């Protein structure tokens, strides 16, 4: 015997209803199945039928049988034979068993997408799960791309993540067009254990102007070991036009700093002079 479908719903109408019940758009369903949105539209308009493998995937996604997808009818299973009562789980294993059952029944991802959009981007897209991507004005996921992005791998205007790329970037490995902060940072202004940039600040810093324990600066270098055109170091300083090692506060302020600043005006490009002079004056603070 079978349970009939009293509404006489078409296969396409049933597929559309089940999809909407899962709060899934045609575009999202097409992406999950690896097909075009037009193919989904044809199914739901009764202009075509899904292939067998797609029907199996849809039945798992919608929590029903393939028979129900095609006919709207569910086979009534035969009355099962009585089974012996299972032994009660111990107090220590029962919670773990329930947790494992709950985990196996739930999809191993979380997704939220706001209905409001900016252009083609949702305002908020949270998509957390292995192999899934988040794209939005605010994007949060293992892989995230947006104006503001947060993820293990993130790309955005403001980007935060294990590996991050952006205008302003914060991460273990950070690449920022303007500012990068991270263990390894590369950017116009780079701050990190290892920093590479126009202005680089870090334990090991390399740039046009560098500040750090080991500082290598094309124009100005300030650090314990400093190498550059104008170099001021605590232990070692090697400069092609000026260098000084561990000057006293008084000598640096009254004698050496004026000389270093005049060399900045002579050798450093105009757009970097302000930064270079600020770095050299740091030794007076």
């Amino acid at each position: 015997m079978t349970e009939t479908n009293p509404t006489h719903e078409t296969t396409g109408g049933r597929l559309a209803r089940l999809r909407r019940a899962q709060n899934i758009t045609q575009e999202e369903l097409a992406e999950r199945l690896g097909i075009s949105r037009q193919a989904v539209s044809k199914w739901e308009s009764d202009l075509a039928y899904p292939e067998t493998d797609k029907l199996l995937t849809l039945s798992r996604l919608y929590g029903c049988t393939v028979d129900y997808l095609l006919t709207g009818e569910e086979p009534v299973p035969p009355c099962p034979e009585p089974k012996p009562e299972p032994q009660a789980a111990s107090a220590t294993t029962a919670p773990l068993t329930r947790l494992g059952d709950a985990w196996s029944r739930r999809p191993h991802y979380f997704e939220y997408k706001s209905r409001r959009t900016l252009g083609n981007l949702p305002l908020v897209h949270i998509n957390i799960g292995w192999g899934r991507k988040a794209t939005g004005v605010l994007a949060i996921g293992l892989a995230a791309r947006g104006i503001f992005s947060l993820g293990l791998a993130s790309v955005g205007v403001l980007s935060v993540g294990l590996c991050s790329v952006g205008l302003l970037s914060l991460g273990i490995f950070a690449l920022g067009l303007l500012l990068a902060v991270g263990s390894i940072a590369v950017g116009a202004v780079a701050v990190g254990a290892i920093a590479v940039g126009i202005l680089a600040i870090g334990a090991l810093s390399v740039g046009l102007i560098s500040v750090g324990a080991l500082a290598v600066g094309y124009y100005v270098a300030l650090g314990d070991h400093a190498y550059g055109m104008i170099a001021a170091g605590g232990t070692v300083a090697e400069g092609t036009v000026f260098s000084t090692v561990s000057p006293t506060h008084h000598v640096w302020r009254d004698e050496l700093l004026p000389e270093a600043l005049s060399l900045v005006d002579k050798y450093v490009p105009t757009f970097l002079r302000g930064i270079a002079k600020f770095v050299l004056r740091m030794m007076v603070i």
Side-chain angles (χ1 to χ4, degrees):
M1 296 178 62
T2 59
E3 184 182 275
T4 61
N5 176 25
T7 63
H8 303 291
E9 187 178 36
T10 68
T11 299
R14 192 161 36 256
L15 291 173
R17 173 174 56 80
L18 292 171
R19 172 181 58 75
R20 288 193 292 268
Q22 296 290 329
N23 197 25
I24 300 173
T25 66
Q26 288 186 343
E27 290 82 358
E28 291 170 337
L29 180 61
E31 183 179 351
R32 293 189 187 188
L33 297 178
I35 60 177
S36 67
R37 187 198 63 78
Q38 288 77 10
V40 176
S41 178
K42 287 183 179 180
W43 296 347
E44 297 181 357
S45 301
D46 291 305
L47 298 177
Y49 287 97
E51 296 85 354
T52 302
D53 61 327
K54 300 298 189 297
L55 285 169
L56 292 172
T57 302
L58 289 170
S59 69
R60 289 193 293 267
L61 179 63
Y62 296 154
C64 63
T65 65
V66 173
D67 285 345
Y68 181 77
L69 290 177
L70 293 174
T71 67
E73 299 176 349
E74 288 282 14
V76 178
C79 209
E81 295 182 1
K83 294 183 179 180
E85 290 292 330
Q87 294 183 351
S90 68
T92 56
T93 61
L96 294 176
T97 301
R98 289 196 297 270
L99 181 60
D101 291 343
W103 175 256
S104 64
R105 290 194 299 269
R106 296 185 61 184
H108 298 166
Y109 67 88
F110 171 81
E111 182 174 14
Y112 166 78
K113 183 183 291 187
S114 65
R115 295 183 181 276
R116 293 188 176 183
T117 62
L118 179 63
N120 294 327
L121 291 178
L123 291 181
V124 179
H125 189 195
I126 302 173
N127 197 2
I128 300 174
W130 188 255
R132 303 179 66 84
K133 300 177 182 179
T135 303
V137 176
L138 171 60
I140 301 174
L142 298 185
R145 181 179 62 185
I147 296 176
F148 306 99
S149 63
L150 172 63
L152 293 183
S154 62
V155 179
V157 176
L158 173 58
S159 176
V160 179
L162 180 66
C163 299
S164 61
V165 179
L167 198 64
L168 306 175
S169 180
L170 173 63
I172 303 299
F173 305 97
L175 173 61
L177 296 181
L178 290 182
L179 173 65
V181 179
S183 296
I184 300 176
V186 180
V189 178
V191 180
I194 300 174
V196 180
I198 294 175
L199 172 60
I201 302 173
L204 169 59
S205 60
V206 179
L208 298 182
I209 299 172
S210 297
V211 179
L214 173 57
V216 180
Y218 184 83
Y219 293 111
V220 175
L222 178 63
D224 186 61
H225 287 64
Y227 304 89
M229 186 179 293
I230 301 170
T235 303
V236 175
E238 295 184 8
T240 56
V241 298
F242 174 91
S243 64
T244 181
V245 177
S246 297
T248 64
H249 185 279
H250 175 76
V251 171
W252 174 254
R253 182 191 62 197
D254 297 336
E255 299 179 17
L256 298 176
L257 179 57
E259 180 183 354
L261 294 178
S262 67
L263 291 172
V264 167
D265 290 329
K266 183 177 180 180
Y267 290 104
V268 178
T270 303
F271 76 98
L272 290 175
R273 286 175 188 169
I275 298 174
K277 290 180 179 180
F278 172 78
V279 168
L280 290 172
R281 288 192 177 101
M282 288 174 60
M283 293 190 66
V284 182
I285 299 174

